[in-house]
Amino acid sequence: MASLSPVEARLGRRRGMSEAIEVSFTVSRANWLSSNQRLHWRVSAPRTQAIRITAKQQAVKVYRGEPLGKVRIVAEISYPTNAKCDPANAYPSVKAAVDGLRDAGWITDDDAKHVIGPDMRLGKKTGVKGLYLIRLIVIPINALERDRTSAGVQMSIHELPNDSRAGFVTNSPIWGDGRE
């Protein structure tokens, strides 16, 4: 039996759930994009293009078919070392990778109508100096809803747990001051 990564376990993946499609690829430090960088567009554009093309090439190797419809994307980011890092700062690189998935035909568009996420997660270290790993787990929404229904969980994909310890209530207005 194959073991599940922490991300797969959190997503509730089970053996035999073939609907999730994964693509992984490495990015060198020379092409890495981070929200902490303040790069001129002429510097960031070739990096963005390199990540986008690599993601498309890897995605075409994994799946060639009809667009998957509405999907949830989880991005697992692996850094070269165990140094302090914030996976959310990898968003520019992940955005380029998601654009590569669109170029490969996995998704129709990367807007909120077609994509939930990407949900940024920290992966294991790559152990290779200057080498990052982006792993995208793409889950069609109909697969998530079917799994929740079969598990007896009757909740919408968009519902959040009501957790008073986190300081929010799901049925409160988004503004928090009474505005609708």
Side-chain angles (χ1 to χ4, degrees):
M1 176 190 325
S3 65
L4 300 178
S5 75
V7 170
E8 292 167 331
R10 282 191 301 269
L11 292 173
R13 285 196 55 199
R14 293 181 290 285
R15 199 176 79 217
M17 182 180 161
S18 60
E19 289 86 358
I21 304 173
E22 300 176 15
V23 63
S24 300
F25 58 94
T26 57
V27 180
S28 69
R29 178 174 290 151
N31 286 328
W32 186 249
L33 293 168
S34 169
S35 296
N36 292 334
Q37 298 168 326
R38 303 292 184 253
L39 301 175
H40 188 272
W41 67 268
R42 284 191 183 198
V43 175
S44 66
R47 293 178 181 198
T48 301
Q49 184 179 19
I51 294 170
R52 186 174 182 160
I53 290 171
T54 302
K56 178 184 176 183
Q57 290 171 342
Q58 295 302 315
V60 167
K61 290 178 185 176
V62 174
Y63 173 78
R64 292 187 105 163
E66 296 295 317
L68 300 171
K70 189 166 185 173
V71 297
R72 176 175 180 210
I73 298 177
V74 177
E76 190 177 84
I77 312 302
S78 297
Y79 289 86
T81 65
N82 282 332
K84 185 177 174 182
C85 56
D86 182 0
N89 286 335
Y91 185 77
S93 292
V94 172
K95 169 65 173 140
V98 171
D99 288 341
L101 297 183
R102 187 184 57 75
D103 295 343
W106 284 27
I107 53 179
T108 306
D109 199 359
D110 59 351
D111 61 359
K113 183 178 177 183
H114 298 94
V115 175
I116 296 174
D119 183 7
M120 311 294 273
R121 302 291 179 174
L122 181 61
K124 295 179 181 178
K125 72 175 185 173
T126 63
V128 180
K129 188 174 180 178
L131 193 66
Y132 300 84
L133 176 77
I134 297 177
R135 178 175 174 228
L136 299 176
I137 304 168
V138 181
I139 309 160
I141 295 300
N142 59 358
L144 284 174
E145 290 172 350
R146 183 174 55 251
D147 282 351
R148 285 198 170 131
T149 304
S150 67
V153 178
Q154 301 297 323
M155 65 183 273
S156 166
I157 186 75
H158 301 291
E159 288 180 359
L160 294 173
N162 187 357
D163 189 351
S164 59
R165 289 173 290 128
F168 67 88
V169 180
T170 58
N171 59 358
S172 66
I174 193 168
W175 304 106
D177 61 0
R179 289 188 284 173
E180 291 291 331

